[in-house]
Amino acid sequence: MKRLLAAIPLLLALAVSGCAGTVKEPVEPGTGTGTGTGTGTASPAPPAAPDPIQERLKSMSLDEKLGQLVIAGVNGTKLDPETRSLIEKDRVGGFILYKPNIESVEQTVSFLNELKQANRNSRIPLLLSVDQEGGKVSRLPPPLAALPSSRDIARAGKPERARSIGEAIGEELRAFGFNVNYAPVLDVDSNPNNPVIASRSFGPSAAIVSSYGIELMKGLQHQKVIPVVKHFPGHGDTSVDSHLDLPVVDKTADQLRKLELVPFADAVRAKADSVMIAHILLPDLDPGVPSSMSSKIITGLLREELGFDGVVMTDDMTMGAITKHYNLGQAAVQSFNAGSDILLVAHEYKNARLVLDALKQAVVSGVIAAERIDRSVSRILTLKQRYELSDEAAGPVDVDKINAAIRQAVGK
Protein backbone atom coordinates (compact mmCIF):
# COMPACT_ATOMS: atom_id res chain seq x y z
CA MET A 1 0.00 0.00 0.00
CA LYS A 2 2.85 2.41 0.82
CA ARG A 3 4.39 1.86 -2.62
CA LEU A 4 1.03 2.40 -4.27
CA LEU A 5 0.51 5.67 -2.42
CA ALA A 6 4.05 6.77 -3.27
CA ALA A 7 3.37 6.12 -6.95
CA ILE A 8 0.22 8.23 -7.11
CA PRO A 9 1.93 11.51 -8.15
CA LEU A 10 3.63 9.91 -11.14
CA LEU A 11 0.59 7.90 -12.14
CA LEU A 12 -1.60 10.98 -11.97
CA ALA A 13 0.92 12.97 -13.94
CA LEU A 14 1.08 10.35 -16.65
CA ALA A 15 -2.64 9.64 -16.76
CA VAL A 16 -4.90 11.19 -19.36
CA SER A 17 -8.33 12.58 -18.65
CA GLY A 18 -11.22 10.15 -18.58
CA CYS A 19 -11.39 6.49 -17.68
CA ALA A 20 -9.69 4.03 -19.98
CA GLY A 21 -12.18 1.52 -21.28
CA THR A 22 -11.45 -2.07 -22.14
CA VAL A 23 -10.73 -2.61 -25.81
CA LYS A 24 -13.10 -5.23 -27.22
CA GLU A 25 -12.07 -7.77 -29.79
CA PRO A 26 -13.68 -7.19 -33.20
CA VAL A 27 -16.54 -9.54 -34.01
CA GLU A 28 -16.68 -11.43 -37.27
CA PRO A 29 -19.56 -10.46 -39.59
CA GLY A 30 -22.61 -12.66 -39.15
CA THR A 31 -21.63 -13.77 -35.63
CA GLY A 32 -22.00 -10.63 -33.69
CA THR A 33 -23.99 -8.79 -31.18
CA GLY A 34 -25.02 -5.86 -33.39
CA THR A 35 -27.70 -3.49 -32.27
CA GLY A 36 -30.72 -4.42 -34.30
CA THR A 37 -29.70 -3.58 -37.86
CA GLY A 38 -30.72 -7.04 -38.93
CA THR A 39 -27.53 -7.53 -40.92
CA GLY A 40 -25.58 -9.46 -38.30
CA THR A 41 -22.73 -6.97 -38.58
CA ALA A 42 -20.89 -6.24 -35.35
CA SER A 43 -20.63 -2.76 -33.92
CA PRO A 44 -17.24 -1.13 -34.46
CA ALA A 45 -14.80 -1.71 -31.65
CA PRO A 46 -14.24 1.39 -29.53
CA PRO A 47 -10.91 3.15 -30.10
CA ALA A 48 -7.99 2.06 -27.98
CA ALA A 49 -7.30 4.14 -24.89
CA PRO A 50 -4.46 6.63 -25.42
CA ASP A 51 -1.04 5.58 -24.17
CA PRO A 52 -0.38 7.78 -21.09
CA ILE A 53 3.36 7.85 -21.77
CA GLN A 54 2.82 9.11 -25.30
CA GLU A 55 0.25 11.62 -24.12
CA ARG A 56 2.74 12.84 -21.55
CA LEU A 57 5.40 13.21 -24.23
CA LYS A 58 3.10 15.40 -26.31
CA SER A 59 2.73 17.83 -23.41
CA MET A 60 6.47 18.16 -22.70
CA SER A 61 8.60 21.02 -23.96
CA LEU A 62 11.92 20.34 -25.67
CA ASP A 63 13.81 21.53 -22.57
CA GLU A 64 11.83 19.14 -20.36
CA LYS A 65 12.64 16.24 -22.67
CA LEU A 66 16.33 17.10 -22.86
CA GLY A 67 16.50 17.37 -19.08
CA GLN A 68 15.31 13.77 -18.75
CA LEU A 69 18.35 12.65 -20.74
CA VAL A 70 20.83 13.82 -18.09
CA ILE A 71 21.76 12.58 -14.62
CA ALA A 72 23.99 15.20 -13.01
CA GLY A 73 26.37 15.34 -10.07
CA VAL A 74 25.81 17.56 -7.04
CA ASN A 75 28.03 19.87 -5.02
CA GLY A 76 28.52 19.60 -1.29
CA THR A 77 26.19 18.04 1.22
CA LYS A 78 23.04 20.11 0.80
CA LEU A 79 21.04 21.77 -1.93
CA ASP A 80 22.89 24.70 -3.47
CA PRO A 81 21.75 27.30 -6.07
CA GLU A 82 23.40 25.50 -9.00
CA THR A 83 21.72 22.18 -8.21
CA ARG A 84 18.42 23.97 -7.67
CA SER A 85 18.81 25.57 -11.10
CA LEU A 86 19.40 22.16 -12.71
CA ILE A 87 16.11 21.01 -11.19
CA GLU A 88 13.88 24.05 -11.60
CA LYS A 89 15.25 25.50 -14.84
CA ASP A 90 16.79 22.55 -16.69
CA ARG A 91 14.45 19.81 -15.42
CA VAL A 92 17.22 17.24 -15.20
CA GLY A 93 16.08 13.67 -14.88
CA GLY A 94 18.10 12.84 -11.79
CA PHE A 95 21.28 13.04 -9.73
CA ILE A 96 24.16 10.88 -8.52
CA LEU A 97 25.70 11.21 -5.05
CA TYR A 98 29.27 10.26 -4.19
CA LYS A 99 31.15 9.90 -0.90
CA PRO A 100 31.85 13.67 -0.61
CA ASN A 101 28.09 14.29 -0.76
CA ILE A 102 27.35 11.81 2.04
CA GLU A 103 28.37 12.67 5.62
CA SER A 104 25.80 11.00 7.85
CA VAL A 105 22.49 9.19 7.79
CA GLU A 106 20.46 12.25 8.73
CA GLN A 107 22.32 14.59 6.37
CA THR A 108 21.95 12.23 3.39
CA VAL A 109 18.21 11.76 3.91
CA SER A 110 17.80 15.52 4.31
CA PHE A 111 19.79 16.22 1.13
CA LEU A 112 17.73 13.78 -0.94
CA ASN A 113 14.52 15.23 0.46
CA GLU A 114 15.72 18.72 -0.48
CA LEU A 115 16.25 17.54 -4.05
CA LYS A 116 12.76 16.08 -4.15
CA GLN A 117 11.20 19.19 -2.65
CA ALA A 118 12.92 21.38 -5.26
CA ASN A 119 11.39 19.13 -7.92
CA ARG A 120 7.86 19.57 -6.52
CA ASN A 121 6.63 21.58 -9.52
CA SER A 122 7.72 18.92 -11.98
CA ARG A 123 5.33 16.24 -13.10
CA ILE A 124 8.17 13.69 -13.32
CA PRO A 125 10.03 12.37 -10.23
CA LEU A 126 13.82 12.33 -10.03
CA LEU A 127 16.15 9.39 -10.44
CA LEU A 128 18.30 9.50 -7.29
CA SER A 129 21.30 7.28 -7.77
CA VAL A 130 24.40 5.96 -6.06
CA ASP A 131 27.09 3.28 -6.40
CA GLN A 132 26.33 0.83 -3.60
CA GLU A 133 28.04 -2.30 -4.89
CA GLY A 134 29.51 -3.54 -1.63
CA GLY A 135 33.15 -3.97 -0.70
CA LYS A 136 35.32 -0.99 -1.57
CA VAL A 137 32.55 0.68 -3.57
CA SER A 138 30.09 1.41 -0.77
CA ARG A 139 28.85 4.97 -0.43
CA LEU A 140 26.43 4.95 2.49
CA PRO A 141 27.78 6.21 5.81
CA PRO A 142 28.43 4.61 9.19
CA PRO A 143 26.91 3.23 11.32
CA LEU A 144 25.44 1.11 8.52
CA ALA A 145 26.87 -2.41 8.44
CA ALA A 146 29.59 -3.17 5.90
CA LEU A 147 28.62 -4.99 2.73
CA PRO A 148 30.81 -7.76 1.26
CA SER A 149 32.45 -7.29 -2.12
CA SER A 150 31.06 -9.10 -5.15
CA ARG A 151 34.07 -11.44 -5.05
CA ASP A 152 33.38 -12.36 -1.42
CA ILE A 153 29.67 -12.92 -2.14
CA ALA A 154 30.55 -15.44 -4.85
CA ARG A 155 33.22 -17.14 -2.75
CA ALA A 156 30.52 -18.06 -0.25
CA GLY A 157 29.17 -20.41 -2.91
CA LYS A 158 25.49 -19.59 -2.48
CA PRO A 159 23.81 -17.67 -5.34
CA GLU A 160 20.63 -17.34 -3.29
CA ARG A 161 22.63 -15.30 -0.77
CA ALA A 162 23.41 -12.81 -3.54
CA ARG A 163 19.68 -12.25 -3.95
CA SER A 164 19.24 -11.72 -0.21
CA ILE A 165 22.10 -9.22 -0.19
CA GLY A 166 20.52 -7.44 -3.16
CA GLU A 167 17.29 -7.18 -1.20
CA ALA A 168 19.12 -5.84 1.85
CA ILE A 169 20.92 -3.22 -0.26
CA GLY A 170 17.61 -2.27 -1.85
CA GLU A 171 15.99 -1.90 1.55
CA GLU A 172 18.71 0.44 2.83
CA LEU A 173 18.71 2.54 -0.34
CA ARG A 174 14.94 2.97 -0.32
CA ALA A 175 15.06 3.99 3.34
CA PHE A 176 17.37 6.87 2.40
CA GLY A 177 15.33 7.88 -0.64
CA PHE A 178 17.57 6.48 -3.39
CA ASN A 179 15.82 4.67 -6.23
CA VAL A 180 18.73 3.73 -8.55
CA ASN A 181 21.80 1.62 -7.80
CA TYR A 182 24.71 1.29 -10.22
CA ALA A 183 25.03 -2.42 -9.59
CA PRO A 184 25.57 -5.27 -10.05
CA VAL A 185 28.94 -5.34 -11.78
CA LEU A 186 28.74 -7.93 -14.57
CA ASP A 187 32.36 -7.64 -15.66
CA VAL A 188 34.33 -10.89 -15.72
CA ASP A 189 37.57 -10.65 -13.73
CA SER A 190 39.78 -12.05 -16.48
CA ASN A 191 42.83 -9.76 -16.25
CA PRO A 192 44.92 -9.84 -13.04
CA ASN A 193 46.42 -6.46 -13.98
CA ASN A 194 43.04 -4.76 -14.08
CA PRO A 195 43.30 -1.62 -11.92
CA VAL A 196 39.61 -0.88 -11.56
CA ILE A 197 37.50 -4.09 -11.42
CA ALA A 198 39.24 -6.84 -9.38
CA SER A 199 37.08 -7.64 -6.31
CA ARG A 200 34.18 -5.67 -7.78
CA SER A 201 33.63 -8.67 -10.08
CA PHE A 202 31.93 -11.82 -8.89
CA GLY A 203 34.66 -13.94 -10.44
CA PRO A 204 36.82 -15.08 -13.36
CA SER A 205 34.15 -17.00 -15.28
CA ALA A 206 31.04 -15.86 -17.10
CA ALA A 207 28.97 -18.53 -15.37
CA ILE A 208 29.88 -17.28 -11.88
CA VAL A 209 29.27 -13.64 -12.80
CA SER A 210 25.89 -14.46 -14.35
CA SER A 211 24.60 -16.63 -11.54
CA TYR A 212 25.51 -14.26 -8.71
CA GLY A 213 25.08 -10.96 -10.54
CA ILE A 214 21.60 -11.71 -11.80
CA GLU A 215 20.46 -12.87 -8.37
CA LEU A 216 21.68 -9.59 -6.84
CA MET A 217 19.90 -7.70 -9.63
CA LYS A 218 16.66 -9.50 -8.84
CA GLY A 219 17.04 -8.66 -5.16
CA LEU A 220 17.27 -4.95 -5.96
CA GLN A 221 14.28 -5.20 -8.29
CA HIS A 222 12.27 -6.91 -5.57
CA GLN A 223 12.84 -3.89 -3.33
CA LYS A 224 11.78 -1.47 -6.10
CA VAL A 225 15.29 -0.09 -6.60
CA ILE A 226 16.38 0.17 -10.24
CA PRO A 227 19.55 -1.86 -10.88
CA VAL A 228 21.92 -0.61 -13.57
CA VAL A 229 24.09 -3.53 -14.71
CA LYS A 230 27.59 -2.51 -15.77
CA HIS A 231 30.00 -2.02 -17.59
CA PHE A 232 28.89 -3.17 -21.06
CA PRO A 233 30.44 -4.72 -23.14
CA GLY A 234 32.85 -5.72 -20.35
CA HIS A 235 35.52 -3.87 -18.36
CA GLY A 236 37.18 -6.98 -16.92
CA ASP A 237 40.07 -7.34 -19.38
CA THR A 238 41.39 -3.78 -19.22
CA SER A 239 44.73 -2.61 -17.88
CA VAL A 240 43.87 1.11 -17.81
CA ASP A 241 41.45 2.84 -15.44
CA SER A 242 38.86 4.64 -17.59
CA HIS A 243 38.57 7.30 -14.88
CA LEU A 244 42.05 8.36 -15.99
CA ASP A 245 42.34 7.46 -19.68
CA LEU A 246 40.78 5.41 -22.48
CA PRO A 247 41.34 1.63 -22.15
CA VAL A 248 41.86 -0.40 -25.33
CA VAL A 249 40.67 -4.02 -25.51
CA ASP A 250 41.99 -5.97 -28.50
CA LYS A 251 39.32 -8.65 -28.65
CA THR A 252 37.16 -9.76 -31.53
CA ALA A 253 33.39 -9.84 -31.39
CA ASP A 254 33.48 -13.64 -31.24
CA GLN A 255 35.86 -13.55 -28.26
CA LEU A 256 33.53 -11.14 -26.48
CA ARG A 257 30.52 -13.37 -27.19
CA LYS A 258 32.26 -16.29 -25.51
CA LEU A 259 33.12 -14.45 -22.28
CA GLU A 260 32.43 -10.75 -21.63
CA LEU A 261 29.00 -10.59 -23.26
CA VAL A 262 27.61 -13.73 -21.63
CA PRO A 263 26.54 -12.15 -18.30
CA PHE A 264 24.96 -9.18 -20.11
CA ALA A 265 23.05 -11.45 -22.48
CA ASP A 266 21.84 -13.45 -19.48
CA ALA A 267 20.81 -10.25 -17.70
CA VAL A 268 18.83 -9.08 -20.72
CA ARG A 269 16.98 -12.40 -20.77
CA ALA A 270 16.36 -11.97 -17.03
CA LYS A 271 14.65 -8.61 -17.73
CA ALA A 272 17.38 -6.13 -16.82
CA ASP A 273 15.97 -2.60 -16.67
CA SER A 274 19.08 -0.56 -17.44
CA VAL A 275 22.58 -1.14 -18.78
CA MET A 276 25.59 1.13 -18.29
CA ILE A 277 27.98 1.52 -21.23
CA ALA A 278 31.71 1.61 -20.50
CA HIS A 279 34.27 3.97 -22.01
CA ILE A 280 36.38 1.30 -23.72
CA LEU A 281 37.88 1.30 -27.20
CA LEU A 282 37.36 -2.01 -29.01
CA PRO A 283 39.17 -1.61 -32.34
CA ASP A 284 37.82 -4.83 -33.83
CA LEU A 285 34.23 -3.71 -33.28
CA ASP A 286 34.60 0.02 -33.88
CA PRO A 287 38.07 1.49 -34.37
CA GLY A 288 36.82 5.07 -34.36
CA VAL A 289 35.26 5.71 -30.96
CA PRO A 290 34.78 4.21 -27.47
CA SER A 291 31.89 1.84 -26.85
CA SER A 292 29.96 4.64 -25.10
CA MET A 293 29.91 6.61 -28.36
CA SER A 294 29.59 3.71 -30.80
CA SER A 295 26.40 2.93 -32.68
CA LYS A 296 27.89 -0.43 -33.67
CA ILE A 297 28.21 -1.40 -30.00
CA ILE A 298 25.19 0.27 -28.36
CA THR A 299 22.63 -0.15 -31.14
CA GLY A 300 24.15 -3.00 -33.14
CA LEU A 301 25.45 -5.23 -30.35
CA LEU A 302 23.37 -4.41 -27.27
CA ARG A 303 20.02 -3.45 -28.74
CA GLU A 304 19.84 -5.48 -31.95
CA GLU A 305 21.95 -8.58 -31.24
CA LEU A 306 21.16 -8.97 -27.53
CA GLY A 307 17.62 -7.60 -27.88
CA PHE A 308 17.80 -5.01 -25.10
CA ASP A 309 15.12 -2.30 -25.23
CA GLY A 310 15.51 -0.86 -21.74
CA VAL A 311 17.31 2.28 -20.63
CA VAL A 312 20.92 2.61 -21.77
CA MET A 313 23.06 4.86 -19.62
CA THR A 314 26.64 5.99 -20.11
CA ASP A 315 29.35 5.77 -17.52
CA ASP A 316 30.35 9.22 -16.28
CA MET A 317 31.05 11.39 -19.32
CA THR A 318 33.50 13.53 -17.33
CA MET A 319 35.95 10.65 -16.89
CA GLY A 320 39.41 10.94 -18.41
CA ALA A 321 38.59 8.31 -21.04
CA ILE A 322 36.33 10.92 -22.65
CA THR A 323 37.62 14.34 -21.62
CA LYS A 324 41.26 13.60 -22.55
CA HIS A 325 40.32 12.70 -26.10
CA TYR A 326 37.00 14.34 -26.98
CA ASN A 327 35.02 17.51 -26.59
CA LEU A 328 32.47 16.75 -23.88
CA GLY A 329 29.51 18.29 -25.68
CA GLN A 330 30.27 16.58 -28.97
CA ALA A 331 30.88 13.28 -27.20
CA ALA A 332 27.51 13.53 -25.46
CA VAL A 333 25.69 14.19 -28.73
CA GLN A 334 27.47 11.30 -30.44
CA SER A 335 26.74 8.96 -27.52
CA PHE A 336 23.07 9.85 -27.64
CA ASN A 337 22.83 9.35 -31.39
CA ALA A 338 24.65 6.04 -30.99
CA GLY A 339 21.83 4.74 -28.79
CA SER A 340 22.31 5.98 -25.22
CA ASP A 341 19.21 7.21 -23.39
CA ILE A 342 20.77 8.84 -20.31
CA LEU A 343 24.07 10.71 -20.19
CA LEU A 344 25.71 10.55 -16.77
CA VAL A 345 27.50 13.86 -16.14
CA ALA A 346 28.65 13.22 -12.61
CA HIS A 347 30.91 16.17 -11.83
CA GLU A 348 30.52 19.96 -11.97
CA TYR A 349 27.53 22.08 -12.78
CA LYS A 350 29.29 23.61 -15.81
CA ASN A 351 29.64 20.17 -17.39
CA ALA A 352 25.96 19.36 -16.99
CA ARG A 353 25.07 22.73 -18.52
CA LEU A 354 27.53 22.15 -21.37
CA VAL A 355 25.93 18.80 -22.21
CA LEU A 356 22.40 20.19 -22.05
CA ASP A 357 23.36 23.07 -24.32
CA ALA A 358 25.10 20.73 -26.77
CA LEU A 359 22.04 18.49 -26.97
CA LYS A 360 19.74 21.43 -27.62
CA GLN A 361 21.99 22.86 -30.31
CA ALA A 362 22.14 19.44 -31.95
CA VAL A 363 18.34 19.35 -32.08
CA VAL A 364 18.12 22.86 -33.51
CA SER A 365 20.70 22.05 -36.19
CA GLY A 366 19.05 18.74 -37.08
CA VAL A 367 21.89 16.52 -35.82
CA ILE A 368 19.49 14.92 -33.32
CA ALA A 369 16.01 14.04 -34.57
CA ALA A 370 12.92 14.81 -32.49
CA GLU A 371 11.75 11.20 -32.88
CA ARG A 372 15.04 9.97 -31.42
CA ILE A 373 14.52 12.12 -28.31
CA ASP A 374 10.98 10.87 -27.86
CA ARG A 375 12.15 7.25 -28.01
CA SER A 376 14.60 7.77 -25.17
CA VAL A 377 12.29 9.88 -23.03
CA SER A 378 9.56 7.27 -23.49
CA ARG A 379 11.90 4.58 -22.16
CA ILE A 380 12.85 6.76 -19.18
CA LEU A 381 9.24 7.64 -18.30
CA THR A 382 8.23 4.00 -18.65
CA LEU A 383 11.00 2.95 -16.25
CA LYS A 384 10.00 5.58 -13.69
CA GLN A 385 6.38 4.47 -13.94
CA ARG A 386 7.27 0.77 -13.65
CA TYR A 387 9.11 1.39 -10.39
CA GLU A 388 6.33 3.65 -9.05
CA LEU A 389 8.77 6.48 -8.37
CA SER A 390 7.67 9.59 -6.54
CA ASP A 391 9.24 12.61 -4.86
CA GLU A 392 7.69 11.72 -1.51
CA ALA A 393 10.03 12.53 1.39
CA ALA A 394 11.96 9.62 2.92
CA GLY A 395 13.08 8.90 6.47
CA PRO A 396 13.70 8.63 9.28
CA VAL A 397 16.05 5.67 8.75
CA ASP A 398 15.86 2.74 11.14
CA VAL A 399 19.58 1.88 11.15
CA ASP A 400 19.22 -1.07 13.52
CA LYS A 401 16.57 -2.66 11.31
CA ILE A 402 18.67 -2.20 8.16
CA ASN A 403 21.81 -3.55 9.81
CA ALA A 404 19.91 -6.60 11.02
CA ALA A 405 18.72 -7.26 7.46
CA ILE A 406 22.26 -6.89 6.09
CA ARG A 407 23.77 -9.21 8.69
CA GLN A 408 21.09 -11.80 8.12
CA ALA A 409 21.63 -11.62 4.34
CA VAL A 410 25.40 -12.07 4.57
CA GLY A 411 25.06 -14.82 7.18
CA LYS A 412 26.62 -13.04 10.15
Side-chain angles (χ1 to χ4, degrees):
M1 179 61 72
K2 183 176 180 182
R3 292 180 190 154
L4 181 59
L5 292 174
I8 288 174
L10 177 59
L11 296 175
L12 290 176
L14 294 174
V16 294
S17 60
C19 296
T22 303
V23 180
K24 299 179 181 178
E25 294 292 329
V27 183
E28 293 293 328
T31 65
T33 57
T35 55
T37 62
T39 64
T41 302
S43 301
D51 181 341
I53 299 293
Q54 297 307 311
E55 292 298 303
R56 180 71 188 87
L57 274 173
K58 292 176 185 177
S59 71
M60 294 173 71
S61 68
L62 175 60
D63 287 342
E64 285 180 303
K65 291 177 181 179
L66 294 179
Q68 289 299 306
L69 307 180
V70 172
I71 287 181
V74 295
N75 298 319
T77 55
K78 61 183 179 180
L79 184 66
D80 69 358
E82 291 180 338
T83 302
R84 182 180 291 278
S85 177
L86 286 173
I87 296 171
E88 296 180 351
K89 179 176 178 292
D90 300 304
R91 299 298 186 192
V92 293
F95 293 95
I96 179 172
L97 270 62
Y98 286 99
K99 272 286 190 183
N101 309 122
I102 297 172
E103 288 183 336
S104 68
V105 172
E106 294 77 12
Q107 168 271 326
T108 306
V109 173
S110 176
F111 194 179
L112 293 175
N113 285 341
E114 285 183 307
L115 296 172
K116 294 176 183 178
Q117 177 65 16
N119 195 52
R120 65 190 180 281
N121 292 327
S122 173
R123 294 162 289 180
I124 305 171
L126 294 168
L127 295 170
L128 296 172
S129 62
V130 70
D131 293 283
Q132 187 73 350
E133 300 172 11
K136 66 180 182 180
V137 183
S138 297
R139 309 296 193 205
L140 297 191
L144 288 165
L147 293 162
S149 68
S150 298
R151 177 184 288 170
D152 287 340
I153 291 173
R155 280 177 174 170
K158 298 179 179 179
E160 66 276 10
R161 183 170 291 175
R163 180 161 185 162
S164 297
I165 292 171
E167 291 183 3
I169 294 172
E171 181 180 347
E172 70 173 350
L173 291 177
R174 278 198 308 107
F176 276 78
F178 289 105
N179 49 41
V180 178
N181 189 16
Y182 299 114
V185 171
L186 295 186
D187 303 311
V188 179
D189 185 25
S190 59
N191 185 341
N193 296 319
N194 193 312
V196 68
I197 299 301
S199 64
R200 297 170 66 192
S201 169
F202 288 97
S205 77
I208 290 173
V209 172
S210 284
S211 59
Y212 288 87
I214 290 171
E215 286 302 309
L216 194 141
M217 179 186 82
K218 289 179 178 179
L220 289 167
Q221 289 174 326
H222 182 74
Q223 289 291 339
K224 288 291 185 180
V225 170
I226 300 168
V228 181
V229 301
K230 59 186 186 183
H231 307 80
F232 186 86
H235 212 308
D237 194 16
T238 58
S239 55
V240 172
D241 184 347
S242 54
H243 292 87
L244 306 176
D245 210 332
L246 180 61
V248 179
V249 175
D250 290 311
K251 285 195 168 185
T252 66
D254 284 342
Q255 287 175 316
L256 291 172
R257 291 185 185 102
K258 292 175 182 176
L259 184 65
E260 282 86 354
L261 294 183
V262 172
F264 292 100
D266 290 342
V268 170
R269 285 190 288 270
K271 302 189 184 305
D273 298 286
S274 183
V275 175
M276 176 178 281
I277 305 295
H279 305 311
I280 302 171
L281 185 66
L282 295 142
D284 190 71
L285 277 70
D286 191 338
V289 292
S291 49
S292 54
M293 296 163 57
S294 170
S295 177
K296 293 178 182 178
I297 293 173
I298 301 174
T299 298
L301 190 57
L302 177 58
R303 291 211 185 278
E304 294 175 358
E305 182 173 328
L306 269 60
F308 181 67
D309 194 35
V311 172
V312 171
M313 188 183 302
T314 69
D315 207 339
D316 176 20
M317 295 296 291
T318 70
M319 289 163 63
I322 299 298
T323 58
K324 281 190 175 182
H325 301 275
Y326 304 94
N327 171 278
L328 177 58
Q330 293 172 357
V333 170
Q334 184 164 346
S335 177
F336 181 75
N337 271 340
S340 298
D341 299 304
I342 293 178
L343 303 162
L344 180 59
V345 189
H347 299 283
E348 298 190 37
Y349 168 78
K350 67 177 183 180
N351 288 326
R353 286 288 326 134
L354 188 155
V355 167
L356 288 164
D357 290 343
L359 291 171
K360 188 166 187 178
Q361 183 56 44
V363 175
V364 172
S365 64
V367 173
I368 293 178
E371 295 81 5
R372 173 70 188 85
I373 294 171
D374 284 355
R375 260 199 319 277
S376 283
V377 176
S378 177
R379 289 189 186 105
I380 295 163
L381 295 180
T382 299
L383 181 61
K384 290 183 175 185
Q385 183 185 49
R386 183 185 309 136
Y387 276 80
E388 303 174 348
L389 303 193
S390 81
D391 285 326
E392 180 184 10
V397 175
D398 187 338
V399 173
D400 290 339
K401 179 183 176 185
I402 291 171
N403 283 345
I406 292 172
R407 293 187 181 106
Q408 181 177 4
V410 299
K412 292 183 179 180

